[in-house]
């Protein structure tokens, strides 16, 4: 069967020819047909070699702030993957199998305990090493509401404190941070731009994480979040376990901190009670008599002795009257009688 032919279009209503950015000044090809243009290839034609993938997920029982922080890290790291929450009863070494199924070589695991303490695991699966941190002072992107903004999927610069090159355990953490937080070059989901900085600063034996945007006009930095503090607990040789490589001597568990706070409050209360008891004992104690001063007798003058009067007649009893008005009337009558008799 013959194919159905299109009807002849009127002149001037044909299909528009594709034209590139310089189509206006293009010359017509010989024969009267317009020259064809192709879309230029992307700027970076490199090969994606560093295929690091990071699995970011958590255990059950996290609060809303932890959930938002986890979502912010997934947004800032285009090479990350997500997974369902892990049950509390499961052992931590099960995460290595989950990473293998997800084809991930790094892992960020948020572990919640007592619905108030948050721990973060950074691990190189499946051989290690791994580090456990206590997360404090969490501020998410939605909570900070900063004025800055960065391109989604752009590659960050990593800025480290000079102390990371002096101490051996900080040097190990620096390499772990570089492999986890740096976006691989030529990643399919990343953008070929560098417009924000991840800073890791050591202050008060803790690692402070900030995210800043690079402003092109004056090369200044504007914080965009998220922001949190990592208190190092231990560094293990294996992934989520194994021999301990380093243990932080300055670390204090949240349970111990809460216990010390309660003890300090109780000590203040006991001190107040002790002060009250001491004051009561002072009031009850016998007063010490001060010895008489012999010089006080000089100023004493003897009083005149009065004659003793003996009353032989029994005094009249006063009538008990409750009403004062009646009492006054009786007194007036008595005075009148006395006056008449006189």
């Amino acid at each position: 069967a013959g194919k159905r032919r299109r009807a002849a279009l009127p002149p001037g209503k044909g299909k528009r020819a594709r034209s590139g950015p310089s189509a206006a000044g293009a010359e017509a090809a010989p024969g009267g047909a317009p020259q064809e243009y192709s879309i230029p290839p992307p700027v970076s034609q490199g090969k994606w070699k560093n295929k690091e993938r990071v699995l970011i997920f958590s255990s059950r029982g996290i609060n809303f702030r932890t959930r938002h922080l986890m979502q912010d890290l997934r947004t800032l790291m285009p090479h990350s993957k997500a997974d369902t929450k892990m049950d509390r009863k499961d052992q931590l070494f099960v995460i290595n199998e989950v990473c293998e199924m997800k084809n991930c070589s790094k892992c960020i695991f948020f572990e919640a305990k007592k619905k108030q303490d948050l721990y973060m695991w950074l691990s190189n699966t499946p051989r290690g090493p791994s580090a456990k941190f206590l997360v404090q002072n969490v501020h998410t992107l939605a909570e900070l509401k900063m004025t800055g903004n960065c391109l989604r999927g752009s590659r960050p610069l990593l800025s480290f404190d000079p102390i990371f090159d002096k101490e051996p355990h900080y040097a190990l953490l620096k390499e772990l941070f570089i492999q986890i937080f740096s976006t691989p070059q030529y990643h399919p989901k990343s953008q070929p731009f560098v417009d924000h900085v991840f800073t890791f600063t050591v202050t008060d034996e803790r690692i402070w994480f900030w995210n800043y945007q690079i402003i092109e006009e004056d090369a200044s930095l504007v914080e965009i979040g998220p922001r949190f503090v990592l208190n190092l607990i231990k560094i293990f040789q294996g992934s989520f376990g194994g021999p301990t490589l380093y243990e932080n001597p300055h670390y204090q568990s949240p349970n111990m901190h809460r216990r010390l706070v309660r003890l300090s409050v109780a000590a203040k209360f006991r001190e107040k009670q002790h002060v009250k008891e001491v004051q009561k004992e002072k009031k009850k104690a016998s007063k010490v008599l001060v010895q008489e001063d012999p010089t006080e007798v000089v100023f004493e003058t003897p009083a005149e002795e009065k004659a003793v009067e003996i009353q032989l007649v029994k005094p009249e009893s006063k009538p008990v009257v409750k009403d004062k008005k009646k009492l006054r009337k009786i007194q007036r009558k008595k005075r009148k009688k006395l006056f008449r008799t006189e």
Side-chain angles (χ1 to χ4, degrees), residues 278-309:
V278 170
Q279 290 177 353
K280 287 181 180 179
E281 290 178 359
K282 286 183 178 179
K283 290 180 180 179
K284 291 180 180 179
S286 59
K287 297 181 180 179
V288 180
L289 296 176
V290 182
Q291 297 179 357
E292 294 181 359
D293 190 2
T295 58
E296 290 182 357
V297 188
V298 178
F299 300 99
E300 291 182 359
T301 55
E304 296 180 358
E305 294 182 358
K306 294 182 179 181
V308 180
E309 295 181 359

Side-chain angles (χ1 to χ4, degrees), residues 266-284:
K268 290 181 180 179
F269 180 75
R270 284 197 299 269
E271 187 178 355
K272 289 182 180 179
Q273 292 295 327
H274 180 68
V275 171
K276 289 182 180 179
E277 291 176 359
V278 170
Q279 290 177 353
K280 287 181 180 179
E281 290 178 359
K282 286 183 178 179
K283 290 180 180 179
K284 291 180 180 179

